[in-house]
Amino acid sequence: MAEPGILLVDKPSGITSHDVVARTRRARGTRKVGHAGTLDPMATGLLVVGVEHATRLLTFIVGLDKTYLATIRLGQTTTTDDADGDIDVRGSAESVAEATEERIRDGVAALTGTISQVPSAVSAIKVDGRRAYDLVRAGEDVELKSREVTISRFEIVSITREADHIDVDVEVDCTSGTYIRALARDLGSALGTGGHLTRLRRTRIGEFAVDGAFSVEDLEDASLVAPAEVASRVLGSLDVSADEARDLRHGKRIDAPERFDGLRAAIDPSGALVGVVERRGSAMKSTMNMPQVER
């Protein structure tokens, strides 16, 4: 069996998240590989990849807040809301000229906080069991429902003006499920210029940062983050005795050694992850167990 753990991968542009999973399967010699949160082919940056039974931890990672660096081009819309699509509308010279720095900053402020966002039609969201982007490619009209997302930070890094467009470099902290393409589209719509993404890079997922992540060329030799460390960083840790670890693995409830809310990573005396536990009254019980690995 391949060594279990989490790989932090710096995905390059031009390949899909599934391509990274496929390459990891070949590099690590196992079919049991998954990832926590898709990146579009155009996008680069952090992809959290689980190997072997560490894939069980991905469900606790996928919903974490994320940070992105992006460039929004005002003055053009595309069929995909990003640079992979064809330009379908060009804003007038007047509309671009009227998009002053003050108006751009006001538009960004209006898209900060908890907002209702309609995802891009060319997305992986399923509609009646089919991916939205497959429906669009088949020539079908797709109308996705709006969703509530939180943009805790939408910071303008720089504004660069050209004759027919404006490039706005931004950094965004947001909840899981936010579409940065949709932010670009909606900012351009509010300013009357149209807008799309020309660059997108994910730099953070929860406690995990792209700094130190491995390239796809280094997947075979890349070091893994141990399941115990991953779960502890995401959920917080709770030390248990060998007897308590055995009982938890057998599905028994045990006394909670301390008060806590939500979930915790139960760590046995050897430092291994027993599983994820939740408090039930004065006791606690595993909601997910990890296989016991012989040492």
Side-chain angles (χ1 to χ4, degrees), residues 80-116:
T80 58
D81 298 328
D82 65 16
D84 279 345
D86 298 324
I87 296 175
D88 55 359
V89 177
R90 294 183 185 272
S92 67
E94 291 78 14
S95 68
V96 172
E98 290 171 358
T100 62
E101 179 174 339
E102 182 180 5
R103 288 190 64 217
I104 293 171
R105 292 189 179 279
D106 287 346
V108 164
L111 291 169
T112 303
T114 299
I115 63 172
S116 180

Side-chain angles (χ1 to χ4, degrees), residues 6 14 35 88 119 181 238 240 251:
I6 293 293
H35 68 78
D88 55 359
R181 282 183 292 164
L238 196 65
V240 297

